Amino acid sequence: MNVFLRRLQHAGHLIPSVLTGYLWLKGWQPHLPGWGCPFRALTGIPCPGCFLTRATSAALTGQLDRSIELHLFGPIAAATLVIWSVASIRTNRLIPKQLSFAALAIAASALFSYWILRILFSYALHLKGFPGFPSP
């Protein structure tokens, strides 16, 4: 186990690049495996991040209109992953030192607010598609 942890410490900075590369590849090959949403499986209600993986994959492959249709934060997540990948390779660190709690709190608040808006459009107004949840 110690060997695994030491190797992870030395190569951990490559995790964002591997994740970004996989999501880019998934954008071209949607049949590749991925994880389902446990919140949606338990409650039947999409979570704040539902459709974000597909939206990020679409943005990474240049399909910005499809990305925004799936989740407004898709292009933002794709840009963040690319920036994180470059920064982690340049600094040999998985987590950048400049990451602030305030930035994370603002991003989480925006994501939660967007989720509430989507819930209202989809379930209260029965609208499918942007800005609500995509049609099945």
Side-chain angles (χ1 to χ4, degrees):
M1 187 70 163
N2 270 342
V3 174
F4 173 75
L5 291 176
R6 273 189 269 129
R7 286 187 180 166
L8 184 61
Q9 268 184 326
H10 292 294
H13 67 282
L14 298 176
I15 292 172
S17 299
V18 170
L19 177 62
T20 304
Y22 181 76
L23 289 176
W24 174 81
L25 189 60
K26 191 163 176 63
W28 294 112
Q29 303 293 325
H31 65 278
L32 289 174
W35 288 325
C37 176
F39 183 83
R40 187 174 183 182
L42 289 172
T43 65
I45 299 170
C47 77
C50 273
F51 302 100
L52 187 56
T53 302
R54 284 179 256 180
T56 304
S57 293
L60 288 170
T61 57
Q63 304 168 35
L64 293 180
D65 55 338
R66 176 72 176 144
S67 176
I68 291 170
E69 180 183 316
L70 290 168
H71 199 292
L72 186 63
F73 283 60
I76 297 166
T80 301
L81 276 174
V82 169
I83 292 167
W84 182 24
S85 298
V86 170
S88 66
I89 288 173
R90 291 183 73 193
T91 62
N92 281 343
R93 294 178 52 92
L94 177 61
I95 311 271
K97 287 182 181 180
Q98 311 89 304
L99 191 62
S100 72
F101 178 77
L104 289 175
I106 290 169
S109 297
L111 184 63
F112 183 76
S113 298
Y114 177 62
W115 177 60
I116 295 296
L117 180 70
R118 291 180 94 184
I119 293 286
L120 290 174
F121 273 97
S122 295
Y123 294 102
L125 300 176
H126 304 288
L127 297 174
K128 295 297 178 195
F130 186 79
F133 292 104
S135 298

